[in-house]
Amino acid sequence: MTLAEFVALARKRWVMILVPMVLLTVASYAMAASQTPMYRSTSSSYFSLAIGDSASDIFQGSNYTQQQLGSFARLATEPVVLNEVIDELGLDESAKSLGRRVSATASPETVIVDIAVTDSDPDRAAAIANTVTKKWTAAVRQLSPELPNGQPSVTATDISPATPSSYAFSPNT
């Protein structure tokens, strides 16, 4: 079949080509528009090590902190943190279901962890993200090794609180 024959066939059968494309487009849009809009709010925390008298100590502490970030980040989606969030905010769901809407990402080559929460209400998403961050930083302090003076060796500081999103990230119509 040559290009000219293909074009002639397409002109002859344009309705059979166009109608299914239009129907699929309309059906896809209708399906996306009928979904509940979901909003995402993100907070960020900075990790620091409270020890180090020399450049070598600081470098070793930095390496230790980066190696531990993955473990500390995972804490944000665990019941030890989420049960406290549920209690404080009075949420009517389990830690497991809340954990599916919470993610913690340790940025590579940095000591910053982002905690993101998705929810159908932008204000609730921000409130949950901020509460997870608060409870999570307390858990990090509690679980990190103690210094001789009794202080935690690793601290997490909230550097960017979550704010309610103005736009839904899903569905993408």
Side-chain angles (χ1 to χ4, degrees):
M1 177 181 269
T2 65
L3 181 59
E5 291 173 333
F6 179 75
V7 170
L9 182 61
R11 282 185 179 166
K12 185 176 180 181
R13 307 273 189 214
W14 70 272
V15 173
M16 292 175 59
I17 296 170
L18 189 61
V19 169
M21 286 176 42
V22 169
L23 289 176
L24 285 173
T25 301
V26 169
S28 297
Y29 178 80
M31 191 167 84
S34 69
Q35 292 179 351
T36 302
M38 296 300 285
Y39 298 86
R40 179 182 290 145
S41 289
T42 304
S43 66
S44 299
S45 295
Y46 178 84
F47 274 74
S48 59
L49 200 60
I51 58 173
D53 295 330
S54 68
S56 175
D57 289 345
I58 292 170
F59 179 73
Q60 288 177 353
S62 174
N63 283 340
Y64 170 79
T65 303
Q66 284 183 336
Q67 290 172 359
Q68 295 299 312
L69 273 183
S71 298
F72 284 132
R74 184 165 173 200
L75 274 176
T77 61
E78 296 295 325
V80 67
V81 170
L82 298 180
N83 283 332
E84 290 187 32
V85 172
I86 291 168
D87 291 343
E88 183 169 318
L89 296 177
L91 301 176
D92 187 27
E93 63 184 307
S94 69
K96 186 175 183 177
S97 68
L98 180 58
R100 286 191 285 264
R101 299 187 297 116
V102 175
S103 67
T105 308
S107 301
E109 304 298 322
T110 70
V111 290
I112 295 177
V113 174
D114 296 320
I115 296 177
V117 176
T118 59
D119 196 273
S120 59
D121 179 352
D123 294 321
R124 188 171 50 223
I128 293 171
N130 288 327
T131 306
V132 167
T133 301
K134 182 174 87 173
K135 299 300 183 181
W136 175 66
T137 56
V140 167
R141 281 188 205 103
Q142 183 180 18
L143 294 173
S144 69
E146 285 187 1
L147 297 173
N149 64 4
Q151 295 296 317
S153 60
V154 177
T155 58
T157 306
D158 186 10
I159 59 171
S160 178
T163 57
S165 176
S166 301
Y167 303 100
F169 81 95
S170 171
N172 184 358
T173 54

